Each structure stands twice: as structure tokens, then as C-alpha cells.
Amino acid sequence: AVYGFDGTGKTGAALDCRTPEEIKEGKMVIVFDLDDGAGPDKDAYWDNDENIVILSPTEITEAGDIDYLASINKLKALVSYVKTEVPEEKIKAVVLDGLDTLKKWAMYKMKLDIGLDLAGGTRIDQKEWERRNFAFLNIVIPLKNMNCDRYFITHLKAVKEYRRVGDSTQLVVVDWVPDWLEGTPGMMFQKIRCERIESPDGKVVLKAKLEKCKTDLSREGKEIVLAEIDPKKGTSKWTPHAFHTLMMG
């Protein structure tokens, strides 16, 4: 699991998960790009690498809106195709870029399946929420069970509470947590948090911290710099295959 705010290097580091040897061997990175954000990263840094494959499942209606049913069905078909038609020995990693988007698609699919208005606030019972969870897990579990590296990327969402502020009670942000279904963390062998640190002189450092590592407990808490950027000089330095180094040493 990889999580963090926008612009923290999550997708870029996942695309760059192969070692130099694996790149020479032609190992593939296959990205299910729910947020349409991986394409620009590939175009900028991996344009000539045919072994980074970006698959976009998003379907648009004639009115220009997202067709949620068609999109989640297309995603399911793409996952099935990769699992059955692409030899696993050729794959270094699969990347699901947008767990938070998948959660939203699964919720909308549930609402459409039972005839609810997508924007409505109709009360939904537990049985129907289980429909949403099934649609979500029906994508995540097949990918998790593949015999390769698996990266599941999501953003952080705000946790809000009503707090007394001065003379009034206001809804305020008290925390930021990964945006996924409850129970998702327990499915993940490793959890990586990415962050962006800006210094007073304008320099930017992107860092990743290994917050959980079931496969090697001694590595929990390890950190690695993904990138160092100096906007004033127009320079940047990227750390190759940083996630591999972070988790494996």
C-alpha cells in the first residue's frame, strides 16, 4: 500500500520499481490507472519503454460524465485479461493507481444496482454496503493474489470533528488517513507513506517511509529520499528503484 498527498512521488516511484537488471530482462510494469495520472509520468520519464503499460478503465458517457458501471466492468475485464493472458514471469509489478477512486466507483455501482440516485442521501442498510465492498474486493483480491510485486496507491482523506473554536463550534480537520475501505490495511504486507517537505529556501524533498513490513519487521520505520528538487536552479535528482531499496535493503 502506498499513500500520501498529491505530488509526493507515489506513482513515479511505483513506475520505477524495477532494478536495472529487471529492466534489461524486459520485465513489465502494468498500471491500472483509475485517475489518469500515470500517463504523464510515463510520457515524461519512460516514453520509450514499451514494458511500462498504462491501462485506463475510465469510460465517459456522451454527456461527458464518468460511466461508473462501464468503468468498473472494464477494470474487471482488464484485470482478468492481465491475469490470464500475460505470463506472470514477464511481470515485475502490477499497480492499481487509485484505491480511493475504486472505492467511489464501487459505491456508485452499488447505488445504481439497487436503483438509488447517485447524489442522493438515501439511507443504505448494511447489506447494500456489502455490495459495495464486494465490488471493491473483486478488483483488489485478484491483483493481490498475483505472483509479482503489487502496489496499491491511494490519497489521504481528512478526518473531521466538531471542535470548539473561540465562541463557536466548527468542523475542523483533526487527522489525515489513507482513503480506502476498512479492512484494507490488514490485506497489505507493506505500507509506504510518501510525503513532500518544502524548506524555507524553496527546495523540495520527496520522502517515503516504510510504516509496516510483515516480511521483515526490522525494516519498519526505514526512510528513503525519492527525489530532491531545486526550483530556483531548475534541477532535480531522482532515486532509482527506491521502493525496492526501501523494502529489500
Side-chain angles (χ1 to χ4, degrees), residues 21 41 67 74 126 128 151 164 178 193 197 209 228:
E21 292 75 20
D41 280 359
D67 187 330
K74 182 178 177 181
Q126 183 59 38
E128 306 307 341
Y151 293 98
R164 191 72 180 175
R193 180 164 182 147
I197 302 169
K209 181 177 182 179
E228 297 175 282

Side-chain angles (χ1 to χ4, degrees), residues 8 15 26 28-29 33 61 78 101 163 229-230 235 244:
T8 53
L15 292 182
M28 301 173 66
V29 178
D33 187 12
T61 67
L78 288 171
T101 299
R163 295 281 179 90
I229 305 131
D230 189 335
T235 60
H244 179 93

Side-chain angles (χ1 to χ4, degrees), residues 29-47:
V29 178
I30 301 176
V31 184
F32 301 91
D33 187 12
L34 278 65
D35 295 325
D36 292 326
D41 280 359
K42 182 189 174 183
D43 291 344
Y45 303 108
W46 302 92
D47 189 36

